[in-house]
Amino acid sequence: ASKRQQKSWFSILRSSLPFSFPILIFRLALRRIAMVLEATMICIDNSEWMRNGDYSPSRYQAQADAINLICGAKTQSNPENTVGVLTMAGKGVRVLVTPTSDLGKILACMHGLEIGGEMNLTAGIQVAQLALKHRQNKKQKQRIIVFAGSPIKYDKKTLEAIGRKLKKNSVALDVVDFGESDDGKPEKLEALVAAVNNNDNSHIVHVPPGPSALSDVLISTPIFTGDGEGGSGFAAAAAAAAAGGMSGFEFGVDPNRDPELALALRISMEEERARQEAAAKKAAEEAGKQEKVGEQASSSQDAAMTEAVNSLAVVADDKKQNLTDDEAALLEQALAMSMDGAKSTSVDITDADMSDATAEDPELAYALQMSVQETVRDSSSQSEMSKVLEDQSFVSSILNSLPGVDPNDPSLKDFLASLQGQSEVCFVLKLRNL
Amino acid sequence: MASVVSSVIPRGQVDLVDFVDWSGVECLNQTTSHPLANALKQGYRDDDGLRLESDADEQLLIFLPFTQVIKLHSAVITGPEEEGPKTVKLFANKEHMGFSNVNDYPPSDSLNLSPDNLKGIPVTLKYVKFQNVRSLTIFIEDNQADGDVTKVQKIALFGTTVDTTNMKDLKKIEEH
């Protein structure tokens, strides 16, 4: 029951909060959010119209790149997903590969395709439907992705009938409208997708020719990001890869062995980052007392500390322009530290940096203490979270340090007042109502 | 409506809703706002406000796997007078049928529902065809008014299990 709670918590969190969460949380969401189990058939347009160069390098090549990306994203989001490919033009509709989870096989079959002939949309969709019907794992949802580059010679009614048949058999349809645009092609394809659409599972994207690649345009669309909840990890994964972040597990513990711990670690790191920003602003003040955090840094907590700095570094890259010089310098230092690896010396220096920042900020120290204790103790992370959230001042200071949130907003004040004794799920639900 | 039905449960038969394997239940062409659970699940099916409705056209294809092997004796299918189902075909032990191949096989039984049936009178099935049922496919082909939307209020199946014909269960039903 708690796992399910976590899942829905994160989806609510992600979708409702008014500010953008850092990549950390998205990467967590990638692991956490429901991975839709799907069998997909991709319909390639390899007609003569694809020779045109208005998409760089050519329409066909742009299409092929986009398809490669989609295949990768689908197979990555859920290892049991299968993808198949067929061509709609050439000598006739031909299935290149039936739905399989073997990405290599899928990419290999895309080589050496010949361009020519005319696209047969209706036959292509019908064959795709048949291929999906004979999928091995009947639990997979059925999806067809059509790349429509040629003009559409069918009328709206025919397309709507096809759409209804797909809906009847619970097949979802995504259409990429690119290439030729004339004869009411966008409207026809819109009508087709509207006929199939059941609860927002089908989408259409119109891509006009332009400087940006077809794949780049598609990454941000629901075709990649899935239907709302499911699979928004693709975009996140792509973005994370682009940010040049880390690969592999964040904290060396992570999801498979102890998901609740991983969850807690990430949350505490994120909160600590927010605190760090606020605290760094006060760094000009004299650093007085010695910190309990420094004393508590033992070898068993090295990993947590260093990883915290690592994650800070990743986030720092994104947030740098928002920081003052002081903070930037602080984070650069932290970044340099993290690059040295998990040596005890670097950790000591790291601790020193941390302690400077935390000197004036007991709440930050508390957060660090919390995150540090998490690695040692094996207790339920949920209760820790609720304790953290119940700390009124802590929560209000987080909210203060976040961009786009006005601390004097009366609704915010009411919300904070009502926070006492609530679980974190209620917290998020309330936040959503703000 | 509920009181009418419960007094008409055939002797010796058990309501098979307890033996439905919910993880494998599928329904093609249902609307998301009116799903199959409204017609099948106890509590939902007796609620007059909750119904199963068809989506793109008037046909519905329902697949019900069971947790045990059962014998199917009779069925109650209720719905509104106009939009309730008319021709219903039942297939025993045929998995994963689609609308395209549903008419390729002869049905185990084919029902033509009368307005009385739609009010709750059970339909007795060809018992000999349903002696060893692991899964049941219900194909609702059209409705009374030949309209575009078929609405089903309740689907209840009666029969016995093959492995354990529990005398305790029989007593429970007759107490109604």
Side-chain angles (χ1 to χ4, degrees), chain A residues 39-41 82 84 95 97-100 125-144 169 171, chain B residues 95-98 100-101 104-105:
Chain A
T40 311
M41 276 302 290
T82 57
V95 176
V97 62
T98 56
T100 169
I125 292 182
Q126 279 168 351
V127 173
Q129 211 179 337
L130 203 62
L132 286 172
K133 193 166 157 211
H134 292 290
R135 67 197 184 284
Q136 284 183 317
N137 182 356
K138 301 289 176 187
K139 287 214 186 299
Q140 290 167 327
K141 301 226 179 298
Q142 305 172 69
R143 179 173 292 274
I144 300 177
N169 287 289
V171 178
Chain B
E95 306 211 329
H96 305 295
M97 301 184 77
S100 47
N101 64 348
D104 294 343
Y105 302 103

Side-chain angles (χ1 to χ4, degrees), chain A residues 365-428:
Chain A
Y366 178 61
L368 288 175
Q369 198 181 347
M370 290 277 303
S371 63
V372 144
Q373 281 168 352
E374 287 294 345
T375 63
V376 180
R377 264 191 292 128
D378 207 11
S379 58
S380 157
S381 52
Q382 293 277 24
S383 51
E384 290 300 317
M385 271 311 302
S386 34
K387 276 189 219 156
V388 170
L389 287 168
E390 278 167 16
D391 188 345
Q392 289 269 8
S393 50
F394 182 49
V395 172
S396 57
S397 16
I398 290 179
L399 289 171
N400 283 341
S401 68
L402 294 169
V405 178
D406 179 10
N408 294 324
D409 189 358
S411 57
L412 191 63
K413 284 186 173 165
D414 290 342
F415 161 69
L416 286 174
S418 68
L419 253 193
Q420 282 171 343
Q422 305 272 357
S423 72
E424 62 272 21
V425 175
C426 301
F427 165 73
V428 171

Side-chain angles (χ1 to χ4, degrees), chain A residues 133 138-139 164 167-170 198-199, chain B residues 28-29 32 55-57 59 96 99-100:
Chain A
K133 193 166 157 211
K138 301 289 176 187
K139 287 214 186 299
R164 274 196 296 273
K167 178 151 85 155
K168 198 173 161 186
N169 287 289
S170 73
N198 183 6
N199 234 15
Chain B
L28 289 183
N29 202 26
T32 31
D55 195 356
D57 62 8
Q59 295 185 341
H96 305 295
F99 287 105
S100 47

Side-chain angles (χ1 to χ4, degrees), chain A residues 65 75 84 128 167 189 195 264 297 383:
Chain A
D65 291 340
T75 48
K167 178 151 85 155
L189 292 175
S383 51

Side-chain angles (χ1 to χ4, degrees), chain A residues 30 73-74 76-78 81 219 223-226 230-239:
Chain A
L30 166 66
K74 294 274 180 200
Q76 195 192 28
S77 90
N78 184 333
N81 278 353
I219 282 187
I223 294 186
F224 255 86
T225 60
S232 39
F234 309 157

Side-chain angles (χ1 to χ4, degrees), chain A residues 21-271:
Chain A
F21 254 54
I23 301 208
L24 275 178
I25 297 300
F26 277 136
R27 205 175 281 133
L28 172 65
L30 166 66
R31 295 192 221 279
R32 283 256 161 273
I33 299 299
M35 305 183 295
V36 190
L37 183 57
E38 245 183 5
T40 311
M41 276 302 290
I42 302 185
C43 302
I44 303 181
D45 182 357
N46 59 333
S47 63
E48 281 289 344
W49 302 95
M50 292 300 106
R51 289 192 198 275
N52 198 327
D54 52 0
Y55 296 80
S56 60
S58 75
R59 282 181 186 172
Y60 176 74
Q61 199 49 50
Q63 195 188 178
D65 291 340
I67 292 175
N68 288 345
L69 263 176
I70 292 180
C71 292
K74 294 274 180 200
T75 48
Q76 195 192 28
S77 90
N78 184 333
E80 287 188 64
N81 278 353
T82 57
V83 179
V85 178
L86 61 79
T87 51
M88 291 191 282
K91 292 209 180 77
V93 175
R94 191 161 68 97
V95 176
L96 300 175
V97 62
T98 56
T100 169
S101 52
D102 183 357
L103 182 60
K105 202 161 152 201
I106 302 167
L107 299 179
C109 81
M110 299 264 306
H111 285 308
L113 282 182
E114 291 180 357
I115 302 181
E118 284 272 339
M119 172 179 91
N120 188 342
L121 182 64
T122 46
I125 292 182
Q126 279 168 351
V127 173
Q129 211 179 337
L130 203 62
L132 286 172
K133 193 166 157 211
H134 292 290
R135 67 197 184 284
Q136 284 183 317
N137 182 356
K138 301 289 176 187
K139 287 214 186 299
Q140 290 167 327
K141 301 226 179 298
Q142 305 172 69
R143 179 173 292 274
I144 300 177
I145 303 182
V146 173
F147 282 81
S150 328
I152 305 288
K153 54 183 185 260
Y154 306 98
D155 61 338
K156 227 182 189 186
K157 280 216 179 342
T158 322
L159 293 176
E160 278 175 352
I162 294 174
R164 274 196 296 273
K165 192 155 165 258
L166 287 176
K167 178 151 85 155
K168 198 173 161 186
N169 287 289
S170 73
V171 178
L173 178 68
D174 289 334
V175 174
V176 179
D177 173 17
F178 71 114
E180 298 295 305
S181 60
D182 53 305
D183 287 27
K185 178 180 171 194
E187 289 81 32
K188 286 183 187 172
L189 292 175
E190 289 273 0
L192 170 63
V193 174
V196 184
N197 196 5
N198 183 6
N199 234 15
D200 242 3
N201 63 353
S202 304
H203 318 94
I204 176 168
V205 180
H206 306 275
V207 188
S212 54
L214 185 61
S215 353
D216 292 339
V217 175
L218 284 182
I219 282 187
S220 53
T221 61
I223 294 186
F224 255 86
T225 60
D227 322 329
E229 257 199 81
S232 39
F234 309 157
M246 306 137 42
S247 60
F249 291 133
E250 304 269 354
F251 303 108
V253 180
D254 244 44
N256 300 318
R257 272 185 297 151
D258 198 341
E260 286 184 11
L261 176 58
L263 187 75
L265 285 173
R266 271 177 230 272
I267 296 295
S268 359
M269 288 314 152
E270 157 56 8
E271 277 159 4

